[in-house]
Amino acid sequence: MSSERVRPSRRRTRRQVIVWTSVAVVISVSASVLPYLEIRGVAAIPVAQALVPLGVLLLLLLAIASLIFRVWAATLVFVLGAMISGAPALTPVHVGEACETDAQVTVLSFNAKLAGADPVALAGPIRTTEPDAVMLLEADETLIDAVLTEDELAEALPYRTRGVTPGPANGSVILSAYALSQEENIPGSEFDQVSAVATLPGAGTVRLGAVHPPPPVWQPNGWLSGLDDITTWVHQTGNDRLIVAGDFNASFAHPVLRRLASGLRSAAEAAGPIPWPTWPEEKPIPAFTAIDHIFARGATPTAWNSFHVEGSDHRAVLATWNLCAKTQPAT
């Protein structure tokens, strides 16, 4: 009788292993495909893609649970799923790619969340880090004036792009320590997106851009088209040195951002491949996705950091770049 009891038990165990491994395959395959999906009009996809880092952690936890219960096949499947789904979300790191440098530039980018950020809390880090350019999104003239009147920042950043468009989320501005010229609008958003060329003494020029495409939650088509429009604009700027920063409302887990960043370098690579989150701050849950970026062409990132500013749900991001020396035309 004992052997008769054991056989059904073993059959049940084998059946449980098969079921759990099958579940592992379904979950892992779904997670692996997610960072590559792009379907217009479906907001759930970019929202789910923003959660890829959390999904990787969940897959690893499921792998540990499978390991504890000795379901070896499921453990392997969950680990592979975590690796495959997490790889596209990592910050690309260009090992050994440097260039001859003739200038160093520090840039700060910050979404002021409908201009509710504390100007004193923002002015302090600006004074401490002394950026050469500051890109502010969701800013209004009241906030801009308040920041510039703190700690004599108007003297440190005497140049700026045009007045911002009134509206709770519209305003984008570039504040600069260097003279700005060739100002233009960047297409792709109902919000302000502005660009200008900064002239660095003795080091030529670099084009700066402040971008803020719409979020995907309510406008999935506008979000996708907006990021593609920014990609087109980046390509149209030619071979000029370029630094573009802002709230992209997308992470590297989104294929549209990977397209945009192709040919550019992310400042965050100076901090390694882990995509350190920048949103959402001041929420019951900790920040889990990196949607605030600084990208460049013709430059090498040497430092990256982020910090919280009271009154915004975005972290400010700060990056230092070595600008590549411009090649002189043959005579």
Side-chain angles (χ1 to χ4, degrees):
M1 290 182 60
S2 59
S3 60
E4 294 177 358
R5 291 177 181 176
V6 169
R7 289 193 191 97
S9 176
R10 287 178 177 174
R11 283 198 295 271
R12 285 197 299 270
T13 300
R14 192 176 298 112
R15 189 181 304 116
Q16 290 169 356
V17 168
I18 293 172
V19 170
W20 182 235
T21 302
S22 300
V23 170
V25 170
V26 171
I27 294 175
S28 297
V29 169
S30 300
S32 299
V33 170
L34 179 60
Y36 299 95
L37 291 179
E38 201 168 69
I39 303 175
R40 297 187 66 86
V42 183
I45 290 176
V47 171
Q49 288 169 335
L51 298 172
V52 163
L54 297 181
V56 170
L57 293 177
L58 177 60
L59 287 171
L60 292 176
L61 290 175
L62 290 172
I64 293 172
S66 301
L67 186 63
I68 292 173
F69 289 101
R70 299 183 180 183
V71 187
W72 313 121
T75 300
L76 178 61
V77 169
F78 280 130
V79 170
L80 289 175
M83 294 173 61
I84 295 172
S85 64
L90 296 175
T91 302
V93 176
H94 299 72
V95 178
E97 293 187 21
C99 60
E100 185 179 344
T101 301
D102 64 4
Q104 189 174 79
V105 172
T106 299
V107 174
L108 185 148
S109 177
F110 177 59
N111 181 323
K113 194 198 172 185
L114 313 184
D118 183 345
V120 176
L122 176 58
I126 293 177
R127 169 53 63 189
T128 301
T129 59
E130 298 182 337
D132 300 290
V134 175
M135 283 76 153
L136 296 180
L137 303 312
E138 293 192 14
D140 56 25
E141 293 297 336
T142 300
L143 175 69
I144 296 168
D145 290 343
V147 169
L148 291 176
T149 54
E150 290 288 333
D151 298 324
E152 300 180 344
L153 288 181
E155 296 181 9
L157 300 166
Y159 305 98
R160 59 163 290 177
T161 50
R162 60 174 172 75
V164 301
T165 302
N170 290 344
S172 299
V173 66
I174 300 173
L175 309 176
S176 174
Y178 304 111
L180 298 175
S181 62
Q182 301 179 47
E183 183 174 333
E184 65 182 34
N185 293 327
I186 300 174
S189 181
E190 63 193 70
F191 309 138
D192 288 348
Q193 296 192 129
V194 64
S195 170
V197 173
T199 301
L200 285 64
T205 60
V206 57
R207 178 165 286 281
L208 306 174
V211 300
H212 186 200
V217 177
W218 309 116
Q219 306 174 62
N221 289 339
W223 168 79
L224 187 60
S225 298
L227 285 163
D228 279 337
D229 286 345
I230 296 170
T231 303
T232 300
W233 175 82
V234 166
H235 292 161
Q236 289 174 345
T237 59
N239 294 321
D240 293 342
R241 294 188 300 198
L242 171 70
I243 298 177
V244 57
D247 171 11
F248 288 76
N249 275 311
S251 71
F252 278 107
H254 297 93
V256 65
L257 186 77
R258 298 197 295 274
R259 283 200 303 273
L260 190 157
S262 176
L264 304 177
R265 294 187 68 168
S266 170
E269 73 171 90
I274 297 175
W276 300 106
T278 64
W279 184 89
E281 289 285 296
E282 300 187 339
K283 300 291 183 182
I285 58 174
F288 58 82
T289 186
I291 61 175
D292 301 274
H293 306 278
I294 303 176
F295 296 114
R297 181 179 58 228
T300 301
T302 60
W304 179 92
N305 202 355
S306 69
F307 54 88
H308 173 58
V309 177
E310 191 72 27
S312 176
D313 58 354
H314 290 257
R315 294 181 69 83
V317 291
L318 180 76
T320 299
W321 298 89
N322 283 343
L323 294 180
C324 296
K326 288 192 172 182
T327 57
Q328 299 298 323
T331 57

